[in-house]
Amino acid sequence: VDMIAELYRKKVWTDDRTVSIMASAVQSMAHNSAAAAMRFFLNIEDKMADDQDREENDEWEGVQEVNYHSHSRKTKSRTRQVAKQVNKKIKAQKKREIEQDTADYGVEAARKLYPAIELLRDPQGLAEAVLKRIQTTG
């Protein structure tokens, strides 16, 4: 169950078959695998969002670096390289600010919240089965 959850989180297996495997694990009699599968459905989106934020920050830090050649000889080609890097940094900053200002908080953002649950064939039936199991166990 943990392996399948990791593959889904890393966006290797993101199809309905993977989600149906996790749904069958939720209904499993083994308590630890059922609990892990339930945790998958409850917080996989947060983990995927954290991974995406981490990737964006790594990419952003790479753009932010400008090699000013402070300890080397200043030539025309190096000054042009520095100017290009500075312009690229400014352009990336503007682009990032525009993307943050036009963030989508509508239907598309809501769809991105629960991708695993949306791929289920019968999410209501799974929820009812889990609730029935919890009620019977105490």
Side-chain angles (χ1 to χ4, degrees):
V1 174
D2 293 333
M3 179 183 65
I4 294 172
E6 277 300 307
L7 290 172
Y8 188 88
R9 184 178 66 87
K10 292 183 179 184
K11 298 178 183 174
V12 176
W13 285 357
T14 55
D15 56 348
D16 58 343
R17 184 178 228 175
T18 307
V19 175
S20 65
I21 291 170
M22 295 303 283
S24 64
V26 167
Q27 297 173 347
S28 171
M29 285 295 156
H31 296 293
N32 55 357
S33 63
M38 285 181 208
R39 272 187 253 112
F40 166 79
F41 282 110
L42 292 176
N43 68 358
I44 191 68
E45 297 81 24
D46 298 335
K47 289 181 181 178
M48 291 174 79
D50 290 343
D51 290 344
Q52 185 177 6
D53 290 342
R54 193 174 304 118
E55 287 175 8
E56 288 174 358
N57 287 337
D58 291 345
E59 182 179 308
W60 176 247
E61 289 172 3
V63 170
Q64 289 293 80
E65 295 175 6
V66 175
N67 187 1
Y68 288 103
H69 300 285
S70 58
H71 300 292
S72 60
R73 187 170 180 191
K74 311 300 185 275
T75 62
K76 286 185 180 182
S77 64
R78 285 189 178 160
T79 55
R80 282 192 301 258
Q81 288 175 353
V82 170
K84 282 183 182 180
Q85 289 177 1
V86 169
N87 289 337
K88 186 177 178 182
K89 177 182 174 180
I90 291 169
K91 186 185 257 186
Q93 285 176 339
K94 288 180 182 178
K95 182 179 177 185
R96 188 171 185 186
E97 288 173 3
I98 289 171
E99 287 175 358
Q100 288 176 350
D101 290 341
T102 61
D104 187 356
Y105 297 109
V107 176
E108 291 299 320
R111 284 188 182 153
K112 291 177 186 175
L113 267 179
Y114 300 103
I117 293 175
E118 283 188 0
L119 292 175
L120 283 173
R121 292 188 182 145
D122 186 21
Q124 180 70 30
L126 178 67
E128 288 174 359
V130 170
L131 182 64
K132 184 176 181 181
R133 180 176 178 181
I134 290 172
Q135 287 176 344
T136 58
T137 58

